[in-house]
Amino acid sequence: MQDIISTLQSFMNLEGYGDLLWQGTWMTVKLSLLSFCLSMVIGVFIALVKSAKHVLPRLLATFYTTLIRGIPDLVLMLLIFYGVQNWVGELTVLLGWKYIYIDPFTAGVITLGFIYGAYFSETFRGALQSIPEGQKEAAVAYGLSKWQSFRYIVFPQMMRLSLPGLSNVWQVIIKSTALISIIGLNDLISAAVQAGKSSNKVFFFLMVSAVIFLAYSILSNVFFAFLKRHFHVGIKEAN
């Protein structure tokens, strides 16, 4: 009986690597949330640019989304982490500044935000196009400024229409955080590999990390379901 209790305690403590895994989990959560926020900002901006009247801004925005969606995430990550780091280093030397080092966490946030901002832009652009022009014209007729019109009329509807796409891309962002371990970030995957190699139980700890990712995804689905109810208040959905 004592042996069984000892085994259960060891399992709950994850062979003594529990703290390492939870630190890695927290790093993954921070990385995904900040990347999501950055990609949202980029996505809204690019969507608005693509809706601009002038041709040049639309062409530049289209070039950005085409380029990002056509290059693998891992390649972009390595290009940004090593390429931008070299450019920043050369610039600081040229200007005589103190050397600026881009740490793996910052590089990961920038990379994921830059990548998935392109996907969000298409989601938001489709939502913007689905909003009737009559509502925007009515806002102008009521004397609302462009910012007020966007805040009170366009943005709530854009979010409501974008939620399914946002939820899907968010799930992809969660899984893509695992790639950041390639550039040296001590995230969940990195912690699981370290614990697995040290204990000679790599498969076990990778399974633990998979369960944590799954739990994170399930909690995310619950949150998006709440957002859907919030943005659909007063909206009667078709059967």
Side-chain angles (χ1 to χ4, degrees):
M1 185 64 181
Q2 187 66 29
D3 292 339
I4 296 176
I5 295 176
S6 178
T7 301
L8 288 175
Q9 289 176 342
S10 178
F11 178 79
M12 293 298 295
N13 194 35
L14 298 173
E15 302 289 339
Y17 295 98
D19 290 339
L20 178 64
L21 286 173
W22 296 127
Q23 289 173 9
T25 300
W26 176 234
M27 184 65 72
T28 294
V29 170
K30 290 191 296 182
L31 176 63
S32 59
L33 290 176
L34 289 176
S35 300
F36 180 77
C37 292
L38 178 59
S39 60
M40 283 270 291
V41 173
I42 294 175
V44 171
F45 175 74
I46 297 298
L48 292 175
V49 170
K50 281 193 170 185
S51 302
K53 296 180 180 179
H54 299 289
V55 176
L56 182 59
R58 295 204 307 268
L59 289 177
L60 292 175
T62 301
F63 175 76
Y64 160 70
T65 54
T66 302
L67 180 69
I68 295 302
R69 292 189 296 172
I71 299 177
D73 294 357
L74 181 58
V75 175
L76 283 171
M77 195 171 302
L78 295 175
L79 284 174
I80 292 176
F81 181 67
Y82 293 107
V84 174
Q85 182 66 71
N86 289 335
W87 296 338
V88 171
E90 292 176 0
L91 181 62
T92 55
V93 171
L94 182 64
L95 298 177
W97 296 347
K98 184 178 179 182
Y99 184 79
I100 299 175
Y101 172 71
I102 302 177
D103 61 273
F105 181 79
T106 302
V109 171
I110 294 173
T111 302
L112 292 179
F114 191 68
I115 292 172
Y116 291 101
Y119 292 90
F120 278 141
S121 68
E122 293 301 309
T123 301
F124 288 133
R125 188 171 69 92
L128 285 173
Q129 292 177 341
S130 299
I131 299 175
E133 286 295 326
Q135 296 189 16
K136 301 175 185 178
E137 295 171 357
V140 174
Y142 273 98
L144 297 181
S145 65
K146 289 185 178 181
W147 166 246
Q148 290 174 326
S149 176
F150 178 78
R151 179 181 177 184
Y152 295 112
I153 297 176
V154 176
F155 183 75
Q157 295 185 78
M158 182 181 71
M159 289 299 299
R160 176 175 61 83
L161 296 169
S162 300
L163 274 178
L166 295 182
S167 177
N168 290 335
V169 178
W170 165 248
Q171 298 292 341
V172 178
I173 289 177
I174 292 177
K175 293 189 291 184
S176 295
T177 57
L179 295 174
I180 307 298
S181 60
I182 298 294
I183 59 177
L185 183 67
N186 293 322
D187 64 339
L188 176 57
I189 294 300
S190 178
V193 171
Q194 292 180 40
K197 289 181 177 179
S198 300
S199 63
N200 200 28
K201 295 181 179 179
V202 177
F203 179 78
F204 169 75
F205 283 102
L206 287 178
M207 286 298 298
V208 171
S209 67
V211 170
I212 294 174
F213 271 111
L214 180 61
Y216 190 21
S217 296
I218 292 173
L219 289 175
S220 299
N221 289 333
V222 173
F223 177 71
F224 273 100
F226 166 78
L227 286 181
K228 181 179 179 181
R229 290 195 300 271
H230 173 75
F231 284 106
H232 279 73
V233 171
I235 302 296
K236 184 178 180 179
E237 296 185 9
N239 294 328

